[in-house]
Amino acid sequence: MSGTLNRREVLSGSVLGVAAAGLGGAALGAAGPDAVAATPAAAAQGSPARAEIVLRVNGRDRLLAIDPRTTLLDALREHMALTGSKKGCDHGQCGACTVHVDGRRVLSCLTLAVAVQGKAVTTIEGLSAGDRLHPMQQAFIAHDAFQCGYCTPGQIMSAVACVHEGHAGSPAEIREYMSGNLCRCAAYPNIVAAIEDARNQMERS
Amino acid sequence: MNYDPQSLLGQATPRVDGVAKVTGAARYAADEVVANPAYAYLVTSAIARGRIAGFRLEQAMAVPGVLDILTHENVGDALKQSPPGPDGKPSTTTLESERIWHDGQIIAVVVADTFEAAREAAHKVEVDYAEERPAGTFGDEGTQTEPAEAPFGPNPEVGDAAGAFAAAPVKVEARYATPTQHHNPLELFSTTCAWEGSKLTVYEPTQFMHGTKARMASQLGLDIQDVRAVSRYVGGAFGSKGVNGRAAWVAIAARRVGRPVKLVATRADGFTTNSYRAETLQHVRLSAERDGRLTSFFHEGWELSSRPSPYCVAGTEQTARMYACPNILTRVNVVHADRNTPGYMRAPAETPYMFALESAMDELSYALGMDPIELRRVNDTQIDPVSGRPFSSRSLMPCFDAAAVRFGWQRRDPQPGSMRDGEWLVGYGCATACYPVFTGPAGARLTLMPDGRAQVAMAGHELGTGAYTAVAITAARLLGIDVDDVTVSMGDSDLPPVIVAGGSSNAASTALATAKVCEEARRRLAAAAVTAADGPLRGLDPDALVLVEGRLRHDGGAEEPIRDALVRVGGRLEVYAEHVPDGLPRGAVAALGDGQLLFQHNGNRSDVTAFAFGAQLVEVRVHRRTREIRVPRVVSAFAAGTIINPMAARSQFMGGAIWGLASALHEATELDHGAARYVNKNLADYMIPVNADVPSVDIIILPEKDERVNALGIKGIGEVGIVGMNAAVANAVFHATGKRLRELPIRAERLL
Ligand code: FES
Ligand code: FES
């Protein structure tokens, strides 16, 4: 494949290293000499300023050197090769970028990566346990709750949170609390059906 | 081919790419990982007409991490050919010159180490303009109008429409208007380009893999063999993902900076750097005898376009064929203004033009004192009134009848304003939906593995239509194996060419090619089995052997497992086949490979006229005081020939109906007339439906066996679902309130 690399090779390019589990922001020095220095001198020479941060994503701590303006969405997509979270607007208007931060649904395009250090980020890639799909993922397939699939990671992350919040009590409530997630393919009725189905399963287990 | 598609296909099947889509593993173009990418950001014009007097780039270049800024002043002749409009004809340009054709035109491309730096620098590019006064749309000073020809044939004309209209006892005449609309697929427009020596890989969401490949080659002056296009999943397209003005610049930028370059255009840039549904004005005259039989139909449209582009959709080609009518006259005009070039958007011709016809039919029903469904029944026909050819099949009235029963149409009191529920005025409305059948050439490669599993490869397109699944189902049924045992590869121009996924042609085109290649595999296995020295099928008629239940079986009962049959052809069988629709040249698939578009359609087939049809019924509620509009119920029935996967088909019909509802009630791109600038270029201000907006949508899929449209009887379903909704809603609003609205979208303020 021309010009492409697998994810591991790319990760080694932009991620400084994978810190040990439990590493907090205070332990950044552990990155030691391998870290890229974000000095003003470097900026003056033509490199953008970089901030070193640790993000805990899907249970793993990752050390990144990124422009401090980088959104959580771009950090995931462009610096960690976690491309499941999607960019549909970059302005908080579509929900395609929805992830969980400490269990709550958050628009990752409106969240700076530096602001979620020390918090637990879960993306669509981290939702299922190994090969076993989360009941919400299973229900989306069973109810054909997507077409192009582009809104789907955001819909599913939002839907799981919607159930946990206790906002999936009725179809009308689901419609209301899922209205921050646009679906241009308009799979909405199937999305509502899938959430009702998954809610029942999530409540049972 | 000796099988009945209706008995083979048509079983509801969950999508084979479902797991990829719900786990985030499905790779859309901007998800493709390339080594050490630089990031591009577009600079777009702040004026709509004039030219660039100069750039001041110092501040932008000083942003740390900036690598390059492409402008017309420094790109030289890197671009060998400007991208054409959607019709292949001239369109607006970008960095080719200092010329500004429209607001939001690409005028510079900033490339930097990071997305953040590119964005900052793009905002620091200063531009001096020599501005001229623009014309934005109809009625603005400076537009130019010219008559146009319909894209697929001469403008329909039969008999003497003017004379018949003058003499008719019952007539209606009205003017209608439809707004600018933007596709807004949820996936942003993106292009990533990576060079390896003289070879280019372009990752871009596209509806035509080989079109993208060929276009990049011609624009960059490359050997077509040196370009590869990759687009495994497309995050919605609706007609928007094809030729564009950005892709070649990304490739040029990547060559200049010596790294792969990735561009993800902003949502706002998507409004001006890609196409859209142009606004229309339409004039209709309909006349009838007192029994409702039409005596004349006149339909003229005006469509907006850019200055250089003659693009138009001319939905009069469809409206003229809807009903039996002896006298028909149609015309279409293109109105040029200082705007970006419009293009195909889901049911491009039908959505605006059927709004006018189906509104006028409703108006005529009141003039006649006739039920609107009965008016359509009186004028239903199995003969295309323009060409005189038969419809390949036409189940319009069965659609109306099925939908009317489900809806409870008989409860409708014909008197406008007569039905109430408390504070709400209740209205029932209906309209015909139609979409012509397009079928294109396609190639397919099939590999049967020694274990009996199959792999099908073709450069098809998954836009959300369920393309992978439809091909897997077709192959599984024709090979007599399970859907789970078929792997489908698409979305790569290294695979056999497939026609553009547009015009609702994808299902028919890919399924016909898949059927062809499966038949070829069967033929080879059968030939080897009957000529074998031993084995249960030796000496039998090879044409009497079928693949079913994992076996090669003779209709007399003899059989052997497909794995045994495969051993005879070397254990593994690879076959390639092409499907070329009747009337197209034999080399059509190779021509696709060169980026040419070749369709079989109603304009070039001489046997039949082929359409999918539907009937759309809605209940509208208008609040007596506030005029708030609600649509609690939609019932739509469709007959579109063979349905490969009813599960995905229902979703597509439903999505189409919701699109149509949004078109009727919400969607419009608003224009600042003085500046010829779109003002709602984001998803908060451009109203697409959210979950809470969507009512109960009831979809009925009528079985329809069409033996004339093509060998599998497939018509296509992606677009017909939207077509009747504009008029159905407007007609229901009239029924509820007595107020006829002839301009879309229908919003409460228009009912005050
Ligand atoms: S990309 Fe975050 S809300 Fe749209
Ligand atoms: S499935 Fe396409 S946007 Fe929701």
Side-chain angles (χ1 to χ4, degrees):
Chain A
M1 292 210 298
S2 62
T4 65
L5 287 179
N6 67 33
R7 282 161 196 245
R8 178 181 297 275
E9 288 168 295
V10 171
L11 278 174
S12 65
S14 72
V15 177
L16 298 175
V18 177
L23 181 66
L28 262 178
D34 290 342
V36 171
T39 62
Q45 286 159 20
S47 299
R50 304 262 176 175
E52 293 169 14
I53 63 167
V54 175
L55 290 186
R56 167 166 280 202
V57 180
N58 299 332
R60 282 175 64 200
D61 281 355
R62 301 177 187 238
L63 181 57
L64 305 179
I66 54 172
D67 186 306
R69 297 167 294 185
T70 307
T71 62
L72 175 57
L73 177 61
D74 285 330
L76 294 167
R77 291 181 53 80
E78 306 301 334
H79 299 276
M80 290 181 238
L82 289 171
T83 54
S85 306
K86 298 294 186 249
K87 187 181 280 190
C89 69
D90 221 12
H91 282 82
Q93 297 174 337
C94 76
C97 63
T98 306
V99 300
H100 294 174
V101 175
D102 285 346
R104 300 166 70 127
R105 47 177 159 169
V106 157
L107 297 175
S108 61
C109 73
L110 288 189
T111 305
L112 290 175
V114 293
V116 294
Q117 293 182 84
K119 302 186 184 198
V121 177
T122 306
T123 69
I124 190 73
E125 291 93 341
L127 188 64
S128 52
D131 276 352
R132 254 202 38 232
L133 296 180
H134 186 280
M136 192 63 76
Q137 293 170 312
Q138 198 67 60
F140 265 62
I141 296 174
H143 292 272
D144 208 35
F146 50 85
Q147 293 181 39
C148 77
Y150 196 80
C151 72
T152 310
Q155 298 280 359
I156 289 175
M157 297 310 286
S158 212
V160 169
C162 180
V163 172
H164 286 147
E165 290 158 14
H167 287 143
S170 66
E173 195 182 18
I174 292 170
R175 281 200 279 268
E176 195 63 35
Y177 281 89
M178 287 300 292
S179 278
N181 288 83
L182 299 183
C183 177
R184 184 51 158 164
C185 301
Y188 296 124
N190 293 357
I191 291 171
V192 174
I195 295 174
E196 284 201 278
D197 185 353
R199 175 202 62 208
N200 297 340
Q201 292 181 51
M202 286 165 70
E203 282 168 359
R204 268 199 299 276
S205 60
Chain B
M1 288 178 229
N2 54 355
Y3 47 76
D4 173 11
Q6 297 238 321
S7 64
L8 278 168
L9 305 172
Q11 294 173 33
T13 308
R15 291 168 197 254
V16 297
D17 50 1
V19 171
K21 286 179 175 174
V22 302
T23 57
R27 252 187 291 162
Y28 300 79
D31 301 342
E32 299 281 355
V33 175
V34 293
N36 190 29
Y39 292 83
Y41 202 97
L42 300 176
V43 179
T44 59
S45 168
I47 66 163
R49 182 185 170 97
R51 54 186 189 81
I52 298 165
F55 285 101
R56 279 169 286 133
L57 303 178
E58 301 74 25
Q59 290 211 46
M61 284 304 292
V63 172
V66 168
L67 302 169
D68 199 357
I69 301 178
L70 283 67
T71 73
H72 75 271
E73 292 173 349
N74 63 29
V75 293
D77 66 351
L79 190 78
K80 307 300 176 199
Q81 207 180 84
S82 292
D87 50 3
K89 294 179 183 157
S91 184
T92 56
T93 55
T94 53
L95 271 58
E96 289 94 318
S97 75
E98 73 287 357
R99 174 89 188 248
I100 302 290
W101 300 95
H102 63 87
D103 180 71
Q105 172 184 315
I106 299 172
I107 55 172
V109 182
V110 177
V111 187
D113 265 329
T114 65
F115 171 71
E116 294 75 23
R119 180 179 56 193
E120 179 187 352
H123 287 99
K124 288 182 169 167
V125 169
E126 293 175 276
V127 189
D128 296 317
Y129 296 102
E131 187 174 4
E132 294 165 32
R133 183 192 156 106
T137 187
F138 304 130
D140 290 352
E141 195 184 320
T143 59
Q144 285 168 297
T145 302
E146 60 180 3
E149 277 290 301
F152 299 107
N155 295 323
E157 187 171 346
V158 182
D160 172 16
F165 185 79
V170 186
K171 45 187 117 177
V172 296
E173 173 165 13
R175 289 176 184 271
Y176 302 89
T178 63
T180 316
Q181 296 176 335
H182 277 78
H183 317 72
N184 279 310
L186 206 57
E187 177 188 29
L188 295 168
F189 295 108
S190 80
T191 304
T192 301
C193 287
W195 291 92
E196 202 173 321
S198 63
K199 292 189 185 299
L200 171 70
T201 304
V202 52
Y203 303 93
E204 177 174 291
T206 178
Q207 295 176 245
F208 187 22
M209 300 303 315
H210 282 85
T212 294
K213 174 184 163 109
R215 163 172 53 80
M216 289 300 267
S218 63
Q219 288 179 44
L220 297 167
L222 301 174
D223 184 336
I224 195 166
Q225 301 310 330
D226 285 343
V227 182
R228 176 178 171 223
V230 178
S231 173
R232 295 179 174 95
Y233 289 94
V234 178
F238 314 112
S240 68
K241 286 172 176 164
V243 186
N244 66 74
R246 70 175 185 273
W249 298 119
V250 178
I252 290 165
R255 195 155 52 191
R256 283 166 58 131
V257 302
R259 289 160 69 172
V261 170
K262 180 171 184 176
L263 169 68
V264 178
T266 64
R267 179 58 62 182
D269 287 345
F271 278 76
T272 60
T273 66
N274 271 82
S275 71
Y276 59 97
R277 191 195 298 287
E279 58 269 42
T280 72
L281 295 173
Q282 296 172 63
H283 181 196
V284 176
R285 287 194 203 109
L286 266 181
S287 66
E289 301 291 356
R290 294 196 191 284
D291 63 5
R293 278 179 301 129
L294 295 178
T295 59
S296 76
F297 172 50
F298 167 79
H299 196 173
E300 180 165 14
W302 289 261
E303 302 179 28
L304 200 95
S305 189
S306 63
R307 289 288 176 193
S309 166
Y311 174 82
C312 69
V313 298
T316 41
E317 289 188 300
Q318 273 66 266
T319 58
R321 291 173 163 82
M322 269 316 95
Y323 301 111
C325 184
N327 302 291
I328 297 167
L329 181 61
T330 65
R331 290 199 199 108
V332 61
N333 308 276
V334 174
V335 179
H336 297 280
D338 300 300
R339 294 269 298 279
N340 50 324
T341 302
Y344 305 106
M345 178 164 155
R346 203 171 194 176
E350 299 72 19
T351 302
Y353 281 82
M354 286 293 281
F355 167 62
L357 171 61
E358 291 300 290
S359 293
M361 286 293 280
D362 200 67
E363 300 199 39
L364 182 63
S365 77
Y366 287 97
L368 288 159
M370 200 170 179
D371 180 271
I373 294 180
E374 292 314 304
L375 177 61
R376 286 163 177 93
R377 193 184 314 279
V378 166
N379 291 292
D380 189 32
T381 175
Q382 295 296 325
I383 303 293
D384 172 348
V386 177
S387 68
R389 289 192 291 271
F391 285 100
S392 65
S393 62
R394 171 167 161 137
S395 309
L396 177 62
M397 292 323 296
C399 287
F400 267 109
D401 292 337
V405 169
R406 182 79 60 88
F407 185 87
W409 185 258
Q410 85 285 355
R411 291 196 300 268
R412 179 178 185 270
D413 181 329
Q415 186 60 34
S418 62
M419 291 171 64
R420 302 231 168 161
D421 183 1
E423 292 290 282
W424 295 89
L425 309 174
V426 178
Y428 290 180
C430 70
T432 294
C434 70
Y435 195 79
V437 177
F438 292 87
T439 312
R445 196 167 57 232
L446 168 71
T447 309
L448 282 173
M449 308 301 285
D451 62 0
R453 291 166 160 266
Q455 296 171 353
V456 184
M458 51 170 59
H461 314 84
E462 166 51 9
L463 320 174
T465 55
Y468 285 102
T469 313
V471 167
I473 292 170
T474 308
R477 297 291 175 263
L478 295 173
L479 296 171
I481 60 178
D482 289 343
V483 172
D484 290 344
D485 289 333
V486 182
T487 310
V488 181
S489 306
M490 290 189 176
D492 187 328
S493 67
D494 284 353
L495 304 176
V498 171
I499 191 68
V500 62
S504 297
S505 70
N506 178 69
S509 309
T510 59
L512 286 161
T514 303
K516 196 88 181 276
V517 80
C518 292
E519 166 60 13
E520 180 60 17
R522 185 207 65 82
R523 206 185 56 74
R524 296 230 206 141
L525 292 174
V530 300
T531 54
D534 56 10
L537 303 170
R538 180 167 182 268
L540 296 172
D541 173 8
D543 289 340
L545 299 183
V546 292
L547 286 166
V548 60
E549 294 172 359
R551 283 148 200 286
L552 187 59
R553 183 178 287 164
H554 185 257
D555 52 16
E559 63 176 33
E560 69 177 354
I562 189 168
R563 288 178 214 194
D564 295 357
L566 275 162
V567 169
R568 258 188 234 101
V569 294
R572 184 176 179 279
L573 179 64
E574 186 169 322
V575 281
Y576 171 78
E578 298 179 345
H579 176 74
V580 177
D582 290 346
L584 299 187
R586 286 168 64 95
V589 174
L592 288 184
D594 292 333
Q596 291 182 45
L597 275 182
L598 294 160
F599 272 117
Q600 179 195 50
H601 53 75
N602 288 332
N604 65 8
R605 64 189 293 173
S606 54
D607 52 347
V608 292
T609 292
F611 276 88
F613 288 96
Q616 304 198 281
L617 276 55
V618 302
E619 176 182 325
V620 160
R621 293 177 169 234
V622 178
H623 195 271
R624 198 165 63 86
R625 295 173 199 280
T626 65
R627 302 277 131 175
E628 178 185 347
I629 306 166
R630 295 261 142 198
V631 180
R633 292 194 301 138
V634 176
V635 176
S636 294
F638 302 100
T642 304
I643 301 296
I644 300 173
N645 184 6
M647 191 169 183
R650 184 171 302 275
S651 296
Q652 251 195 312
F653 285 135
M654 188 177 73
I658 295 170
W659 261 63
L661 198 58
S663 172
L665 295 172
H666 304 299
E667 285 188 36
T669 311
E670 310 287 351
L671 193 76
D672 173 337
H673 281 251
R677 175 181 301 143
Y678 303 133
V679 295
N680 54 343
K681 295 185 287 185
N682 63 74
L683 291 177
D685 296 316
Y686 183 92
M687 298 300 197
I688 73 170
V690 303
N691 209 321
D693 290 326
V694 174
S696 145
V697 180
D698 202 342
I699 300 296
I700 302 166
I701 304 176
L702 262 67
E704 185 182 63
K705 187 165 182 162
D706 189 325
E707 292 178 333
R708 294 194 278 193
V709 63
N710 53 50
L712 291 173
I714 298 169
K715 288 181 168 179
I717 60 174
E719 295 168 89
V720 65
I722 179 175
V723 174
M725 291 299 291
N726 279 331
V729 171
N731 297 343
V733 165
F734 177 78
H735 183 233
T737 64
K739 187 153 182 175
R740 177 64 64 181
L741 292 177
R742 300 185 181 90
E743 183 180 351
L744 296 177
I746 294 167
R747 290 179 178 155
E749 61 266 29
R750 293 196 169 133
L751 285 171
L752 289 173

